[in-house]
Amino acid sequence: MANILKRVFVISLIICISLTTAGCNSRKNISENQNKKNESITIQELIIEPKDIHNPIGINGDYFYYKIECGSIGENCDYAFWKYNLNTNEKTEMGIIRNFHTASAKSAFVGCEKLFMTYGINDENEGSYNAHLMLDLNNNKFTVLSKDNNFPPLIDTIPINKTYYLERHPKRLQNGGYQYDINVGDTNGHIINIISKQRSETLLGETISSVSVYNDKIYTFEYIETERYICSYDLNGNQITRETNDIVNEFLDTPDKYTNEPETLWSMNVVNGYYFFDTMNGKRLVLHNQNGKYSKVNELSDNDICIVTNHNPLTDKIIMFNYNTKELLCFDTNKGKLINLGITLENASYLTTDGQKLVFSSDNKLYVIKNVFQILPNDN
């Protein structure tokens, strides 16, 4: 039971929080369905045992990364990390994490060379601690960059560009309050703190509840006491903007129709002037900031449309999935245009992309689409 709960926790936090879809019946049925929509799309099955597909990490370059449980004792387990070459179908074991207990919210591929992540380790000799890890993707080597005792990890690790990544690291203080650190690290394993804020147990002070990165700029959703702010910073931690927004406040203050409670923000993601706000109850609001003026984007503020997890921060095209119609969509932020990609995945239960390739699961199998954008019209 403990291992099942750990899988659910990792998958729900890291991979696809709001996606609730089901899987296709067979590879043949998937292919036939695609041919009805778009004959140019090729779907390739990944040759991975069904028992090994339940802990995916994501796509980076020519590889799909995943981990396999290879032993467990009580609440702990060992995980072997693997990479799958999407061109040759070759599989390579990269290393093992021992005494894994739980994972941080997000991991970050930085360039094609490194993967950064934080795992909660429960060791009988060292006790419980967070291990900040770097995995060399070329040499298949783990390095422990640092350890801390703020267990379990609640850390968001986000790629900034091909050289740097960001950590949002909440820490519970002895007085019952929290400290919120934002750190920037590089591919050499160096990391520095650039922003640090605190709030008390009674919510006095400042809270950083969500962080996003786009075009080498950091965006945060913050509270000062109970007031909400959308902020931006440069990579040195210098604040650029801090503003309130009536549309966001109304969105969060409108009670949930089932619980009659105000909404709680889960995440804010910013891509090329578009702000995606998601709540714990699965509600979404999307705003477009144009010349400092915010407007609601109704066609994207739809609870049925889920952003597909993307580990590439450099793309302006957002792949989305409508889990009612089962269709893949593309939102081009440069044109402000939502495009149907002509790909229907009737029962996909997990989707991830790098901005070009897309891996999805169906009927306990994994499949890859090598170029989901190949059918876009020339004017897009």
Side-chain angles (χ1 to χ4, degrees):
M1 176 62 71
N3 292 336
I4 293 174
L5 291 176
K6 280 181 284 191
R7 289 194 191 102
V8 171
F9 177 79
V10 172
I11 292 175
S12 64
L13 287 183
I14 297 177
I15 300 167
C16 200
I17 295 165
S18 61
L19 184 60
T20 53
T21 58
C24 291
N25 292 327
S26 68
R27 182 181 178 185
K28 179 180 178 182
N29 289 343
I30 292 172
S31 300
E32 287 178 350
N33 190 30
Q34 296 312 312
N35 289 335
K36 293 177 183 177
K37 284 284 186 179
N38 188 340
E39 295 180 357
S40 65
I41 289 295
T42 299
I43 296 178
Q44 171 190 331
E45 182 181 344
L46 306 189
I47 312 304
I48 300 176
E49 292 294 323
K51 65 182 179 62
D52 294 334
I53 72 170
H54 301 294
N55 294 285
I57 299 171
I59 307 168
N60 191 45
D62 292 328
Y63 292 91
F64 174 72
Y65 294 85
Y66 61 104
K67 55 185 184 286
I68 298 173
E69 185 176 325
C70 56
S72 62
I73 301 177
E75 292 293 321
N76 299 337
C77 65
D78 298 336
Y79 271 117
F81 283 66
W82 287 75
K83 61 182 178 182
Y84 184 102
N85 190 310
L86 296 172
N87 297 320
T88 67
N89 297 322
E90 180 184 7
K91 293 175 284 190
T92 304
E93 184 176 347
M94 308 179 70
I96 296 178
I97 298 294
R98 303 288 183 186
N99 300 312
F100 167 89
H101 186 274
T102 189
S104 59
K106 297 178 182 177
S107 58
F109 289 108
V110 181
C112 290
E113 299 177 352
K114 302 290 174 64
L115 173 65
F116 294 88
M117 65 208 118
T118 301
Y119 281 171
I121 305 298
N122 189 9
D123 184 87
E124 63 179 9
N125 296 318
E126 296 187 67
S128 298
Y129 62 90
N130 296 335
H132 300 257
L133 303 169
M134 176 176 70
L135 175 56
D136 188 317
L137 302 178
N138 295 323
N139 297 316
N140 304 331
K141 180 182 178 181
F142 275 105
T143 300
V144 179
L145 300 177
S146 63
K147 299 178 182 179
D148 70 73
N149 60 2
N150 294 287
F151 182 88
L154 300 170
I155 298 167
D156 292 328
T157 310
I158 303 171
I160 296 174
N161 49 41
K162 294 181 178 180
T163 304
Y164 296 99
Y165 69 97
L166 175 147
E167 280 188 351
R168 170 187 168 267
H169 190 176
K171 302 175 181 178
R172 186 167 179 82
L173 305 176
Q174 289 185 348
N175 63 11
Y178 273 88
Q179 178 171 311
Y180 299 87
D181 288 338
I182 292 183
N183 309 313
V184 170
D186 63 26
T187 51
N188 294 318
H190 304 129
I191 189 164
I192 60 171
N193 174 253
I194 62 167
I195 301 170
S196 186
K197 300 189 177 185
Q198 289 188 10
R199 72 161 172 85
S200 69
E201 189 175 15
T202 57
L203 302 183
L204 296 176
E206 300 176 85
T207 301
I208 303 176
S209 66
S210 183
V211 64
S212 180
V213 177
Y214 180 78
N215 197 22
D216 289 353
K217 185 183 290 187
I218 300 166
Y219 296 88
T220 62
F221 194 84
E222 303 185 19
Y223 291 80
I224 300 179
E225 315 302 347
T226 58
E227 294 294 321
R228 306 181 184 103
Y229 295 93
I230 301 170
C231 304
S232 63
Y233 300 83
D234 64 23
L235 295 184
N236 293 314
N238 301 309
Q239 190 171 83
I240 302 170
T241 60
R242 188 181 76 188
E243 52 193 341
T244 60
N245 187 280
D246 292 339
I247 305 175
V248 175
N249 287 334
E250 181 181 1
F251 170 69
L252 293 176
D253 288 335
T254 301
D256 179 75
K257 63 181 180 180
Y258 299 108
T259 66
N260 204 37
E261 294 291 331
E263 294 289 341
T264 299
L265 183 76
W266 174 259
S267 66
M268 179 189 76
N269 292 291
V270 181
V271 181
N272 199 20
Y274 288 87
Y275 291 66
F276 294 77
F277 301 89
D278 288 277
T279 72
M280 295 286 286
N281 289 320
K283 287 177 59 179
R284 169 174 296 126
L285 170 70
V286 181
L287 301 182
H288 183 209
N289 182 356
Q290 193 168 26
N291 300 321
K293 298 183 68 174
Y294 290 85
S295 58
K296 182 179 178 181
V297 185
N298 289 315
E299 64 179 344
L300 298 181
S301 300
D302 184 341
N303 299 347
D304 296 333
I305 298 176
C306 175
I307 298 174
V308 176
T309 305
N310 191 341
H311 292 280
N312 179 4
L314 306 178
T315 178
D316 291 337
K317 293 184 174 67
I318 303 171
I319 299 177
M320 312 183 81
F321 185 73
N322 187 318
Y323 57 82
N324 273 345
T325 65
K326 316 300 183 185
E327 294 173 315
L328 281 176
L329 310 171
C330 168
F331 183 70
D332 188 332
T333 60
N334 289 311
K335 298 179 179 296
K337 193 172 183 180
L338 187 64
I339 304 161
N340 191 320
L341 291 173
I343 304 171
T344 301
L345 305 177
E346 286 295 340
N347 293 316
S349 58
Y350 157 75
L351 301 96
T352 189
T353 184
D354 64 349
Q356 289 294 329
K357 296 178 287 297
L358 182 139
V359 169
F360 67 95
S361 66
S362 175
D363 194 31
N364 219 24
K365 296 179 182 178
L366 287 175
Y367 302 86
V368 63
I369 302 175
K370 292 290 184 67
N371 188 350
V372 295
F373 292 140
Q374 66 188 24
I375 52 81
L376 286 179
N378 292 332
D379 63 345
N380 289 293

